[in-house]
Amino acid sequence: MSEIQKALVVHAEEAERIDLPDGGGFRLLADARHTGGALGANRLSLAEGAAGARSHFHALSTELFHVLDGVMRFTLDGVTTTVAAGGLVSVPPGTPHSFGAAPGSAAELLVVLAPGVDRFGYFRSLGRIRHGQESFDDLLAEQGRYDVHSL
């Protein structure tokens, strides 16, 4: 018999914050270990026109983006589109994608990865990379662990 997963509640002030040097940042809401592997979730704030992620794909999980505020630019399998507040993007496994705040706009996103992968360590590394404390090349060795495969 499998263990019954308990409901998870994360209050905003309890979420770990990873600040980015341009004023944006991550709020780490749920890792796979918190949800029995069902999903992982974070909130991402991007400064005006800031890059969010370079081209990559997830081999195991679907990534869902809900734009909470502002306008985002997504490139999905080579096609670029903009999505304003209230919009949603779902990226199936194996689909190359990149994203960032649209020029002239800051943005807030809820990002959900399902099934979940423990990726809080990935976001902590990204914060250190953006602050110049680590090299992105160091993170490339961890692609399989975090199911983030750079292109």
Side-chain angles (χ1 to χ4, degrees):
M1 179 184 256
S2 65
E3 183 178 325
I4 296 174
Q5 182 65 37
K6 294 181 180 181
L8 173 67
V9 176
V10 180
H11 298 280
E13 65 275 7
E14 297 169 343
E16 180 181 347
R17 295 182 59 93
I18 309 289
D19 293 323
L20 299 175
D22 60 10
F26 298 98
R27 282 189 227 152
L28 307 182
L29 300 171
D31 225 352
R33 70 178 171 271
H34 303 125
T35 65
L39 60 89
N42 71 85
R43 185 166 175 163
L44 174 59
S45 301
L46 293 172
E48 186 175 313
R54 58 177 74 178
S55 189
H56 67 284
F57 69 92
H58 307 286
L60 305 173
S61 301
T62 294
E63 191 166 28
L64 179 136
F65 301 89
H66 180 220
V67 182
L68 302 171
D69 193 28
V71 180
M72 287 291 296
R73 178 179 284 173
F74 292 91
T75 300
L76 309 163
D77 205 11
V79 177
T80 300
T81 187
T82 56
V83 179
L88 180 125
V89 174
S90 177
V91 183
T95 303
H97 59 288
S98 61
F99 58 89
S105 181
E108 289 274 337
L109 301 165
L110 174 66
V111 184
V112 178
L113 195 73
V117 174
D118 282 326
R119 292 189 351 165
F120 280 9
Y122 176 78
F123 297 118
R124 291 177 187 120
S125 287
L126 283 178
R128 291 188 297 271
I129 289 165
R130 296 284 295 273
H131 284 282
Q133 299 165 340
E134 283 182 21
S135 166
F136 189 77
D137 290 341
D138 297 335
L139 193 52
L140 291 176
E142 300 291 333
Q143 292 184 94
R145 174 180 176 190
Y146 295 124
D147 191 25
V148 178
H149 306 275
S150 294
L151 299 173

